[in-house]
Amino acid sequence: MKLFTLILTFILFSTNTIFSQKKYDIKTIAFYNLENLFDTENDTLINDEASPIMEIKENRAEIYQKKLNNMAKVISEIGEDETKNSPVIIGVAEIENRQVLEDLISTDYLKTKNYSIIHYDSPDLRGIDVGFLYQPNFFRPIHHETFELKLWEENGMRIYTRDQLLVSGYLGDELIHIIVNHWPSRRGGEEKSRPTREKAAYLNTQIIEQIKLTDPNPKVIIMGDLNDDPINTSLKKVLKTKAIKAKVKEGDIYNPMEDMFRRGQNTLVYRDQINLFDQIMFTSPLLTTTKDYSSYKMYKANVYNPQYLTTQTGKYKGYPFRSWSYSGFTDGYSDHYPVYIYLIKETKK
């Protein structure tokens, strides 16, 4: 197995400054909302007619391929500067079915990466699902399943939304667990819809408790489009996320995105208000405060937002350069920026 390594220099201060070079295996873990990645065929079992591509009457197949290529280009670049590879694991949201993922990984940008797919159809009325892509050379899944988020309106009507996807497997020789989320939207207002996302967060806690039955101190990565910022109640009160490394105790969830949000970073803009809905957080065994990288630990978290992913002119200047508008396909990318973390592990020289 070929390992891509990163040379990091730690500067240790004593009487004299000492420079120490070590070698590290580095892997990118990412999440990306692909903004209505639907195919061109009408599925009579779901309301896919409401997807933007189905409203296009001409050149639909050509536009679909362009949308795929745009998404694949971005994925191929995430973390590439440091690892010389695309993400070894990437969770995705706003996809219609497994076929769009098959088409995505078959593009010229991604076909040499040999991605495999984990996907389940969810009960969402529009057919929107989450999905999971991984490179088998680096990650070996041993278990995956979905968890249904059961919600009801005040009048007793069922709210059909996205399932939460759990994938457990080995990154190298280390067992990790990834939960991919796409929580309910803020339709009707943030306050009114807040309980639905709090229940989505609670379901994550139940999944983690299930994991602990066989892995008592698990390395769990929670990722997704949460439709909440890192400071909202679903994260702070339900998941009980921590933003300060020194305050993280065994079993706690550390959210590096909270500090990023307070410093003004974002993954989307809505009515000129920035939000950081797309997040990656993880349990304490993936965090180090002592620079101990004898096993995989987070090195850095970030939003991937190169200039071409941002609208440069007009009314929506500064917004993510999205694929769809009222006029149809824009030749853009997504209304969300992707997010990613680097996991690193010290290797022998």
Side-chain angles (χ1 to χ4, degrees):
M1 182 185 298
K2 185 176 180 181
L3 299 178
F4 294 100
T5 59
L6 169 69
I7 303 295
L8 300 176
T9 303
F10 293 117
I11 303 176
L12 307 176
F13 294 93
S14 56
T15 307
N16 298 310
T17 302
I18 302 171
F19 295 86
S20 176
Q21 284 192 337
K22 297 181 179 180
K23 276 190 174 182
Y24 293 87
D25 172 34
I26 178 169
K27 297 290 188 289
T28 306
I29 313 293
F31 172 82
Y32 197 13
N33 180 319
L34 301 180
E35 195 201 358
N36 286 301
L37 181 56
F38 278 61
D39 63 27
T40 61
E41 302 297 323
N42 180 26
D43 185 340
T44 58
L45 298 179
I46 59 175
N47 186 26
D48 64 347
E49 296 90 343
S51 64
I53 197 165
M54 296 303 290
E55 297 175 357
I56 294 172
K57 305 305 179 185
E58 297 180 356
N59 302 319
R60 190 183 290 170
E62 180 181 331
I63 290 171
Y64 174 62
Q65 193 60 50
K66 182 62 176 175
K67 168 71 173 175
L68 289 169
N69 285 332
N70 285 0
M71 297 291 89
K73 169 181 166 61
V74 179
I75 291 171
S76 72
E77 294 175 350
I78 299 171
E80 199 274 339
D81 286 346
E82 297 283 5
T83 67
K84 309 307 177 189
N85 191 15
S86 56
V88 298
I89 292 170
I90 179 164
V92 294
E94 284 201 18
I95 59 164
E96 182 182 8
N97 50 37
R98 183 184 180 91
Q99 186 58 53
V100 299
L101 294 180
E102 296 281 3
D103 295 341
L104 179 70
I105 65 175
S106 298
T107 59
D108 289 342
Y109 288 106
L110 296 181
K111 63 184 180 182
T112 61
K113 306 296 184 179
N114 299 315
Y115 277 108
S116 292
I117 296 168
I118 296 174
H119 168 267
Y120 293 80
D121 288 316
S122 79
D124 182 271
L125 291 179
R126 280 190 56 213
I128 294 176
D129 304 331
V130 298
F132 186 94
L133 305 177
Y134 66 96
Q135 296 181 18
N137 285 345
F138 304 105
F139 179 74
R140 178 172 60 88
I142 60 171
H143 175 79
H144 48 84
E145 65 178 301
T146 56
F147 295 79
E148 190 174 4
L149 178 59
K150 296 180 179 180
L151 302 170
W152 284 266
E153 300 275 9
E154 292 179 358
N155 61 8
M157 293 290 290
R158 176 75 186 275
I159 300 172
Y160 291 97
T161 188
R162 279 75 62 176
D163 291 339
Q164 296 177 7
L165 173 61
L166 167 66
V167 179
S168 300
Y170 284 90
L171 184 65
D173 60 356
E174 296 184 25
L175 180 61
I176 64 171
H177 313 269
I178 303 96
I179 306 172
V180 186
N181 297 266
H182 186 186
W183 291 358
S185 75
R186 293 187 169 193
R187 184 173 300 171
E190 187 277 327
E191 184 176 356
K192 182 179 179 181
S193 61
R194 186 183 304 160
T196 64
R197 291 181 298 282
E198 291 177 341
K199 290 175 182 176
Y202 178 71
L203 181 56
N204 270 239
T205 68
Q206 297 302 104
I207 296 171
I208 293 173
E209 288 305 308
Q210 175 176 304
I211 293 169
K212 288 181 178 179
L213 295 175
T214 55
D215 189 3
N217 191 27
K219 293 184 173 182
V220 181
I221 298 172
I222 298 171
M223 62 168 62
D225 174 1
L226 308 184
N227 276 302
D228 264 342
D229 290 315
I231 59 173
N232 288 130
T233 56
S234 57
L235 289 102
K236 300 305 295 178
K237 292 187 177 181
V238 182
L239 286 175
K240 296 182 171 60
T241 56
K242 302 290 180 63
I244 300 173
K245 291 181 179 180
K247 292 186 177 181
V248 176
K249 299 177 181 179
E250 183 175 312
D252 285 346
I253 298 170
Y254 173 66
N255 188 357
M257 305 294 179
E258 183 173 341
D259 183 60
M260 293 162 57
F261 179 65
R262 294 186 187 279
R263 289 187 282 110
Q265 289 189 262
N266 67 288
T267 58
L268 71 155
V269 185
Y270 181 68
R271 295 181 177 175
D272 294 336
Q273 176 178 326
I274 65 168
N275 295 103
L276 209 164
F277 287 172
D278 306 85
Q279 300 173 52
I280 301 178
M281 62 202 79
F282 48 85
T283 52
S284 57
L286 285 165
L287 178 67
T288 179
T289 57
T290 62
K291 295 182 179 178
D292 174 12
Y293 294 103
S294 56
S295 63
Y296 280 113
K297 300 291 174 63
M298 186 207 71
Y299 168 61
K300 185 188 297 183
N302 215 338
V303 176
Y304 187 68
N305 55 355
Q307 187 176 23
Y308 76 86
L309 286 184
T310 301
T311 304
Q312 299 299 313
T313 59
K315 179 180 178 181
Y316 297 107
K317 181 179 180 180
Y319 285 46
F321 183 18
R322 64 186 306 163
S323 290
W324 313 104
S325 72
Y326 294 112
S327 60
F329 184 61
T330 66
D331 200 17
Y333 299 86
S334 174
D335 53 351
H336 293 242
Y337 297 129
V339 290
Y340 64 100
I341 63 172
Y342 290 130
L343 294 182
I344 65 172
K345 179 179 181 179
E346 187 175 350
T347 61
K348 295 180 181 179
K349 293 184 178 181

